[in-house]
Amino acid sequence: MTGTPAGSSPDPQPSAWVPTRALGRAVLLTGLLLVAGVVLGRVDLVVLAAPFALGTAYALRRRPAAPPQVWPGAAEGHLVEGGDLAATVTVGNPDRVGYDLAVVRTRVSPWLRVERSGFDADAPREGAADRPFATFVPAGEAVDLTLAGTALRWGRHPVGPAGARAAAADGLLVSRVVVAEPARVTVYPKTEPFEAVEAMPRAAGLVGAHHSRRPGEGGELAGVRVFTPGDRLRRIDWRVSLRAKQLHVAATLSDRDAEVVLLLDVLAEAGRSGGVDGTASVLDTTVRAAAAIGEHYLHRGDRVSMLEFGPTARRLRPATGRRQYLTVLEWLLDVRAESWPDEADDQVFGPQLLSSDALVVVLTPLLQERSAQMLAQLARSGRFVVAVDTLPADLPPPRGGRRDWAEVAFRLWRLDRDVMVEQLREHGVPVVRWAGAGSLDQVLRDVARLATAPRAGAR
């Protein structure tokens, strides 16, 4: 058992302020002049040492005790890719003695492009944020280092860690470096305008925006029928009733909502992300497409849920409304590529996680055979599946090795992947490349038509 020996005090905490070389030189020079003056009997040397001694004593008359404080922060708000970044790094002086100089330096995520930075919020200077900044900090006050720029990519990006160091007593004392934990800047994915047809394979809820084939209280006229007990009087068609000498009512079809499941394939990442104005990787396309599709159906009143195809099977329960849209955006920020070992248990994910009436939109790059098997399994289980290809169309061949062999292997891989896509279509899984607005129109029409078609053998 180890500990502090009996009768001894624990190790004292190191002082927050340490002497600088300037203080050492002043003390050394004063001491040498005084010793030389006494030994040699020269008063002029003692007089020469007096200004150094008095100046050092005067500078140390008020010594700070508390070290500087520093903390990064980000402006609150809904920041989207390509939006204006507004972050700050604050350095504070909790002591009663002012700091002669405070030097601040912070790290910033490469996806946050800082274009202007400085301590003057009205006229920040051009430059990066990773270089040191110096300022005066009066006693009991705080000064903000303003960082202005552009958010280049979705995600939670750090501003920091930030460090600060202060000098006091005319530069004779300097504080130890104070480091603060980074703050996170939340950048939501940029959603392209997306519109899709109203066709839905099957509507499950009782109230919604899609016309179903089931009679009910809706706005779609289905015909005229004889009045039965329980019908509302406002539904009576008096023109037909007078002509038929019997009460008739207008029959309508119910308006029903649908559940849309956005299934994200996160088994692999490919391509290079260039930010909002550059090239898009697989995860970039997946997240932005999921945000656009989710926003479209949530604004229509449908229920939207999210699910990851990966070893953890992360899931977001279905819901509607603007609150669900904000929850979807937060959920998408945590999307990461996760490898799934071959020996791992595949029972973590299965069709049992999906509603039988839901429209399943699978966002997948189709880079692994396991993804194709998952799509085929969903189709065999009777789910309405639409596969959205998120692989970049201009994906370059891999680098390294012999260039001629790499290009041949890349073309063979492309052919093998095209064969996989055709096999999925033969299994009844439509595969369409994501191209923004209108990408899924024709596919949704085909799925809805197949869902309402009479089954083979049905009477």
Side-chain angles (χ1 to χ4, degrees), residues 105-451:
R105 191 168 187 174
T106 182
R107 292 182 178 178
V108 178
S109 169
W111 296 116
L112 301 177
R113 184 174 59 198
V114 177
E115 300 169 350
R116 297 178 301 167
S117 53
F119 280 103
D120 187 1
D122 296 330
R125 294 175 292 178
E126 302 293 332
D130 57 350
R131 62 186 180 91
F133 292 86
T135 184
F136 298 100
V137 184
E141 297 185 11
V143 181
D144 293 336
L145 168 64
T146 303
L147 306 177
T150 306
L152 300 180
R153 189 174 185 260
W154 57 272
R156 293 186 174 93
H157 305 298
V159 175
R165 197 171 191 179
D170 294 337
L172 299 182
L173 297 177
V174 64
S175 70
R176 299 185 184 274
V177 178
V178 179
V179 180
E181 294 296 325
R184 299 288 174 176
V185 177
T186 301
V187 182
Y188 296 105
K190 182 179 181 180
T191 57
E192 300 177 2
F194 175 75
E195 295 291 340
V197 296
E198 297 184 5
M200 275 289 174
R202 188 178 297 167
L206 296 177
V207 177
H210 302 285
H211 302 308
S212 70
R213 292 177 172 270
R214 184 173 298 180
E217 296 295 331
E220 184 73 11
L221 184 63
V224 179
R225 59 176 176 81
V226 178
F227 178 88
T228 58
D231 289 335
R232 296 188 179 185
L233 296 180
R234 62 185 180 89
R235 294 287 186 181
I236 296 177
D237 190 328
W238 294 106
R239 181 177 301 177
V240 177
S241 300
L242 291 175
R243 186 166 56 248
K245 306 298 183 181
Q246 188 178 6
L247 286 178
H248 283 70
V249 294
T252 58
L253 299 176
S254 60
D255 295 334
R256 308 172 71 81
D257 71 337
E259 179 180 347
V260 179
V261 179
L262 300 179
L263 179 56
L264 279 61
D265 183 357
V266 296
L267 297 184
E269 168 70 314
R272 184 174 182 178
S273 178
V276 64
D277 296 325
T279 58
S281 66
V282 167
L283 284 186
D284 287 343
T285 304
T286 299
V287 170
R288 292 165 186 164
I293 298 174
E295 179 184 19
H296 170 76
Y297 285 110
L298 285 172
H299 285 175
R300 292 182 54 82
D302 296 321
R303 290 173 291 121
V304 174
S305 61
M306 313 288 289
L307 182 62
E308 281 187 356
F309 177 63
T312 59
R314 197 167 60 99
R315 184 179 185 184
L316 177 64
R317 295 183 178 276
T320 60
R322 176 170 176 78
R323 183 177 180 180
Q324 178 69 357
Y325 173 61
L326 297 177
T327 305
V328 165
L329 293 180
E330 290 287 342
W331 190 89
L332 288 173
L333 296 180
D334 296 325
V335 173
R336 298 291 183 273
E338 298 181 90
S339 60
W340 200 341
D342 295 335
E343 63 274 8
D345 186 12
D346 289 356
Q347 300 302 320
V348 176
F349 181 90
Q352 70 276 2
L353 298 177
L354 307 175
S355 173
S356 59
D357 294 328
L359 170 64
V360 183
V361 180
V362 184
L363 301 166
T364 173
L366 290 174
L367 293 176
Q368 295 192 14
E369 186 178 354
R370 179 175 288 177
S371 302
Q373 294 174 354
M374 176 268 295
L375 288 169
Q377 183 182 8
L378 292 178
R380 288 195 299 267
S381 65
R383 302 306 193 275
F384 305 105
V385 184
V386 174
V388 179
D389 187 1
T390 58
L391 189 70
D394 54 351
L395 184 68
R399 298 179 180 179
R402 295 184 55 182
R403 184 174 181 180
D404 50 352
W405 285 107
E407 293 180 354
V408 171
F410 185 71
R411 288 200 298 268
L412 290 176
W413 172 80
R414 278 286 192 182
L415 292 174
D416 182 67
R417 185 177 181 275
D418 293 341
V419 171
M420 180 191 302
V421 171
E422 293 301 326
Q423 290 177 347
L424 286 174
R425 289 170 176 164
E426 292 178 358
H427 281 79
V429 179
V431 181
V432 59
R433 181 174 295 278
W434 175 255
S439 299
L440 309 182
D441 280 356
Q442 187 58 43
V443 175
L444 290 177
R445 290 191 185 96
D446 295 340
V447 172
R449 185 173 63 252
L450 292 176

Side-chain angles (χ1 to χ4, degrees), residues 12-89:
Q13 294 293 331
S15 176
W17 294 86
V18 295
T20 63
R21 293 182 179 181
L23 178 58
R25 288 192 297 267
V27 173
L28 178 61
L29 182 58
T30 303
L32 290 176
L33 290 175
L34 290 175
V35 171
V38 172
V39 172
L40 300 176
R42 296 181 58 178
V43 181
D44 57 337
L45 294 180
V46 177
V47 174
L48 187 60
F52 294 98
L54 294 176
T56 302
Y58 182 80
L60 295 176
R61 75 191 189 283
R62 297 186 64 189
R63 301 180 55 182
Q69 297 177 343
V70 59
W71 57 92
E76 297 182 358
H78 195 86
L79 181 59
V80 185
E81 289 178 306
D84 295 332
L85 168 69
T88 58
V89 177

